[in-house]
Amino acid sequence: MDAAWFGLIGVVVGGLISTLWGWLATIRQELADGLVGARLVDDDLARLETGSVGAAGHQESPAAQTWAENRVALAKVLGYQQWSTVSAVYRRSDPSSTHSWSGRDQEIRAAREALAPLAAGKRHVLSQRWRNLFVRHTGD
C-alpha cells in the first residue's frame, strides 16, 4: 500500500512540475515577443521624435503596420498605465481624429519612457510582469 501512495505522490508532483514548467515557458515566450515588439515600436517612435515634419511640411504619423503587428505582444506584457501611454500615440494618429499635435512630442517621449524597460531586456521587466499578474486595474 505504501508503494501506491509514493506512486500517487510522484504523479502529482510530476504533474505540478510539468504544469509550472509549461506556464513559465509561456511567460518567457510572451516576454520575448513583447521585447521584440517594444523595440520595433520604440524604433518607430524614435523616428517620429527625430523627424516630426515630413518632406511636404506635414507631420509624420506613426507606422500603423508596426503597431498592428506588435500591439498584441505588447498588450500581454505591459502594465495598464504603460499600455495606455503607448497606445495613446497610435490612437491619436488616426487621420479622422481631432487630436491636435501640440502635445505630440510629450506623448511620444512618455511612450518611449514606458517602453524603455521592456526594450532594454527581459530581465528588467520580470518584476513588472509579476505586478501585472497580481494587480488589477480598477479604473480611473
Side-chain angles (χ1 to χ4, degrees), residues 60-64 87-97 99 101:
E60 292 184 37
S61 294
S87 65
V89 173
Y90 289 90
R91 276 194 314 267
R92 293 191 179 129
S93 68
D94 182 15
S96 63
S97 175
H99 173 70
W101 286 93

Side-chain angles (χ1 to χ4, degrees), residues 80-81 84 137-140:
Y80 180 80
Q81 188 59 44
S84 295
H137 176 70
T138 57
D140 292 333

